[in-house]
Amino acid sequence: MLGWYPGHMHKARRQITEALPEIDVVLEVLDARLPYSSANPMLAELTQHKPVLKLLSRADLADPARTQEWVDYFDGLPDTRALAVTTTQARELKGIPKLCHVLAGQVRADRDVRVMVMGIPNVGKSTLINGLAGRKIAKTGNEPAVTKRQQKVRIDGRVALIDTPGVLWPKIEDQASAFRLAASGAIRDTAIDYVEVAIVTAAELAKRYPEALTSRYKLKALPAYAANPEAEAVDADGPRRLDLLALAGFDGHAILTEIAAKRGGLRPGGEVDLHRGAEVLLHELRAGKLGRLSLETPADIPPEPAAEDETPDSPTDS
């Protein structure tokens, strides 16, 4: 479904690795609507020995109750603090330099705290840096991968920000995360199956926010999902895929069909243009027109795979 690891991201990873020894704090920008899915596990691996400030951006689009759950979750992790903000609101950013100093600990009085700003594409890093700097420094846009190289920005509060290009990772193991990222706009629309993403998203919204979905699109009902064995079949040598509609419990295809029919996707002869419905749903979700919604909670974090017991057998008495 996704083709999204261009060459400049390989270069960005190398640059991050080279710069990290001089960094005091990592500031990872996450999407408040999907903090787990928008956290790059590759960055966690690279920065595991650095204190981290998890900045939940776009908090104005996320469910406030779910966002607080995420802040509490991250604050409970070692050497980690979390802050939910709307990056376009400068007043909400004022506490960031102080938090960076707290996380950095003792730093020589003659130098700034060095903070590396990280995050996946299109999560709001550049908007954050411009807000902290009080002027337009970093290029912004609503498409992924706007920042292409590292840049250093000094801000008030004796903090030096090192911006990095948005970095995705070659393979997402969690299929649900892949669909949430696609729905949020973190992946270029040209790299996704628009209708497939919208079908899964419709089912997820029906599960999490049924009233928001029915109210926005004047839906009479949210049909339960009944698996079609032929539709779910894969080749014997094909990859196994989770049935995300079954996990959500709702028929995303039927819901998207009704949305399309009501919002300009009904063609002559009664044929329904699902792509039209997908555009409506995904664009309005990203713009916050369905209300303040979150696509995951800490309870959605998959359990860590059980470690294999590598303890050698106890020696037997001879």
Side-chain angles (χ1 to χ4, degrees):
M1 180 185 71
L2 309 172
W4 60 353
Y5 203 63
H8 78 269
M9 292 186 183
H10 288 285
K11 181 180 179 182
R13 173 175 178 154
R14 187 181 71 250
Q15 291 175 337
I16 289 169
T17 303
E18 292 171 352
L20 271 174
E22 304 298 321
I23 297 300
D24 301 306
V25 176
V26 171
L27 193 165
E28 184 177 15
V29 185
L30 306 172
D31 189 323
R33 298 166 297 177
L34 52 155
Y36 168 74
S37 295
S38 60
N40 187 336
M42 185 185 75
L43 297 184
E45 178 185 343
L46 291 174
T47 62
Q48 58 184 319
H49 300 300
K50 299 288 182 179
V52 179
L53 173 57
K54 303 277 191 180
L55 198 77
L56 308 187
S57 72
R58 299 184 178 134
D60 58 320
L61 298 178
D63 182 330
R66 302 289 81 79
T67 297
Q68 188 58 53
E69 289 181 25
W70 281 108
V71 169
D72 294 342
Y73 170 79
F74 287 127
D75 280 348
L77 300 179
D79 298 318
T80 304
R81 292 290 298 275
L83 181 66
V85 300
T86 302
T87 52
T88 56
Q89 300 298 319
R91 60 183 175 78
E92 297 184 19
L93 310 181
K94 291 182 178 179
I96 291 175
K98 182 177 179 180
L99 276 175
C100 290
H101 277 273
V102 170
L103 284 164
Q106 292 295 328
V107 173
R108 290 201 329 258
D110 62 343
R111 76 166 178 83
D112 295 335
V113 171
R114 298 166 184 154
V115 179
M116 178 172 280
V117 184
M118 296 182 172
I120 65 172
N122 201 29
V123 79
K125 292 191 300 86
S126 296
T127 303
L128 168 69
I129 289 171
N130 291 339
L132 289 170
R135 61 193 188 280
K136 188 170 183 178
I137 300 266
K139 184 179 178 181
T140 61
N142 59 3
E143 283 288 319
V146 170
T147 302
K148 293 294 197 300
R149 60 182 176 82
Q150 286 188 359
Q151 52 186 335
K152 187 174 181 179
V153 180
R154 197 167 186 269
I155 64 172
D156 292 339
R158 291 179 36 247
V159 170
L161 302 176
I162 293 84
D163 187 18
T164 60
V167 181
L168 283 166
W169 54 112
K171 181 181 179 181
I172 296 183
E173 301 295 340
D174 188 322
Q175 292 176 37
S177 287
F179 278 96
R180 290 169 191 152
L181 283 165
S184 74
I187 307 164
R188 289 188 185 277
D189 287 343
T190 53
I192 68 175
D193 184 323
Y194 227 62
V195 172
E196 185 181 12
V197 170
I199 287 172
V200 173
T201 302
E204 278 291 309
L205 292 175
K207 173 185 176 182
R208 297 175 189 273
Y209 299 98
E211 291 184 3
L213 195 62
T214 55
S215 174
R216 179 69 186 175
Y217 300 112
K218 307 294 190 295
L219 306 179
K220 294 181 179 179
L222 296 173
Y225 176 68
N228 179 341
E230 292 186 7
E232 300 301 327
V234 297
D235 295 336
D237 59 348
R240 291 183 60 85
R241 300 183 62 184
L242 289 174
D243 188 342
L244 296 174
L245 298 190
L247 291 176
F250 290 92
D251 188 341
H253 187 279
I255 295 169
L256 186 64
T257 299
E258 190 171 352
I259 292 172
K262 289 178 176 290
R263 298 291 292 272
L266 190 60
R267 294 172 174 171
E271 183 183 359
V272 175
D273 182 355
L274 284 180
H275 196 276
R276 168 61 183 168
E279 287 181 333
V280 168
L281 178 62
L282 296 182
H283 290 177
E284 294 193 349
L285 173 66
R286 295 169 187 175
K289 292 184 178 180
L290 281 81
R292 299 181 67 174
L293 312 179
S294 295
L295 300 179
E296 60 192 16
T297 73
D300 293 309
I301 299 176
E304 292 288 336
E308 294 185 7
D309 186 0
E310 297 181 356
T311 305
D313 294 335
S314 300
T316 55
D317 294 332
S318 53

